[in-house]
Amino acid sequence: MRSRWILSASATLALGLIPPHAAHAQERLNPVIDLVAAGKPVFGLYAPANRRARPGQPTPPADSTKTMAQLAGEALAYRKLDYVFEGTMEYNFEQSFPPFTEFAKAMQEGGALAKGKSPRFTHPMFVKTMEIAPDPAAANVRIGKQLNEGVNGIVFVDVLNAAELKQGIAALRFKSKGGTRSDDVGNAPARWGMSEKEYKEKADLWPLNPKGELYNFTIVESKEGLSHIREIAAVPGVGVLFPGAGTLRGVFTTTDANGQRKFDEAAWEAAIQSVLAACKEFKVPCGYPAGAPDIEKRMKEGFSVFVIGWGEQGFKAVDLGRAASGR
């Protein structure tokens, strides 16, 4: 398995699917960038979370609710992941941001940053942000707040076109770098274990800045976004491009006159493959929300960055992916 993956990675590099500047990886603060630069697969897990009561079900007992420190401890105890994926801020930022700040602080206090001569995150954090298009100015403020908590990457959801993606990328960069991010850095330097000056030098977007330590994931999950997939993939600075497979299932599901729901699996799969084709054409890593049943299949197709659910089935998916890649 290992020799086949090495051969595949070498062939990918030879075909130009890895950007030329990324061919020689270096050990840096953000290990996700090292892995992408080396053409290796990346496995991320959703952050562990408390169970939410479903409609019509009783609220879980208070003594079953874990603190943010306990949830952070669970995340830090699992060492096979490459990053922690936090998705709670996609819809209601004002409600979800305060508990996230507690989680981010607990991750820092629990040792998410391995200190020493070459500091390195053991559990870098990538967080979803709300849609940019409805209010780019508000999105800029939200992204700035998330960056100020020391996150390593921002995940843009439901991107519709290249212009929207460019606005998101600008929000990740300080004004001195041509972006729109405020000079206020909040808790980020402390979370990264460095001075404010050092942070401002390193907190720029890779691969636009070869020395940057921030990275972005971009999710396309609508027919409008799919219609602009090539222009989105061509935007300088796009990190990993994902088809929003879960949301797209709904997009390609219709209800007939009898109230029966019908899922068009062929159209759904074609949408996923169109994103992958754009990734290959524009030499952008392609991501996928995989699980144990499909991670090996998606790896063979060319997807290389994965976000996986927390729990035993998620851990199994990581094991399968690591075994298939020789990592």
Side-chain angles (χ1 to χ4, degrees), residues 2 14 34 63 87 98 113 125 128 133 141 149 153 159 162 172 177 195 221 226 228 232 241-242 263 272-273 312 321:
R2 183 176 180 81
D34 276 345
D63 59 3
L113 176 66
M125 266 198 298
K128 278 186 175 182
V141 172
E149 292 303 318
V159 173
L172 295 177
K177 304 291 186 181
S195 68
E221 47 194 337
L226 292 169
H228 295 114
I232 290 171
L241 194 54
F242 279 77
F263 171 47
I272 290 170
Q273 294 302 321
E312 291 304 320

Side-chain angles (χ1 to χ4, degrees), residues 56-78:
Q57 292 186 341
T59 302
D63 59 3
S64 70
T65 301
K66 297 176 181 178
T67 66
M68 288 298 161
Q70 289 172 321
L71 293 171
E74 281 189 35
L76 292 166
Y78 184 75

Side-chain angles (χ1 to χ4, degrees), residues 103-280:
F103 182 75
K105 180 181 179 182
M107 289 288 286
Q108 175 199 12
E109 293 175 346
L113 176 66
K115 299 178 181 180
K117 290 185 178 179
S118 299
R120 188 170 173 85
F121 279 99
T122 61
H123 292 67
M125 266 198 298
F126 283 67
V127 299
K128 278 186 175 182
T129 199
M130 292 179 69
E131 291 178 44
I132 297 168
D135 191 338
N140 194 75
V141 172
R142 289 191 297 265
I143 290 170
K145 288 182 177 180
Q146 291 173 310
L147 291 170
N148 285 0
E149 292 303 318
V151 302
N152 307 94
I154 300 288
V155 182
F156 304 141
V157 301
D158 197 16
V159 173
L160 303 179
N161 52 52
E164 181 182 356
L165 177 54
K166 289 175 182 177
Q167 290 169 332
I169 286 174
L172 295 177
R173 311 190 77 191
F174 290 113
K175 294 176 182 177
S176 61
K177 304 291 186 181
T180 57
R181 182 181 178 185
S182 165
D183 282 334
D184 172 34
V185 293
N187 296 313
R191 300 271 161 82
W192 283 28
M194 58 186 63
S195 68
E196 182 174 323
K197 180 181 178 181
E198 290 172 320
Y199 175 79
K200 286 185 174 180
E201 290 174 354
K202 291 181 178 293
D204 197 16
L205 188 66
W206 187 90
L208 285 181
N209 181 345
K211 295 183 179 180
E213 294 283 358
L214 291 175
Y215 199 43
N216 96 280
F217 293 173
T218 294
I219 303 176
V220 174
E221 47 194 337
S222 68
K223 289 184 177 179
E224 182 176 350
L226 292 169
S227 72
H228 295 114
I229 190 62
R230 293 183 69 257
E231 69 178 61
I232 290 171
V235 172
V238 62
V240 180
L241 194 54
F242 279 77
T247 300
L248 287 171
R249 289 186 72 90
V251 169
F252 290 101
T253 298
T254 56
T255 304
D256 63 22
N258 298 318
Q260 297 297 311
R261 292 173 63 81
K262 182 179 179 182
F263 171 47
D264 188 343
E265 185 172 1
W268 174 76
E269 184 61 39
I272 290 170
Q273 294 302 321
S274 72
V275 176
L276 180 61
C279 289
K280 291 179 177 180

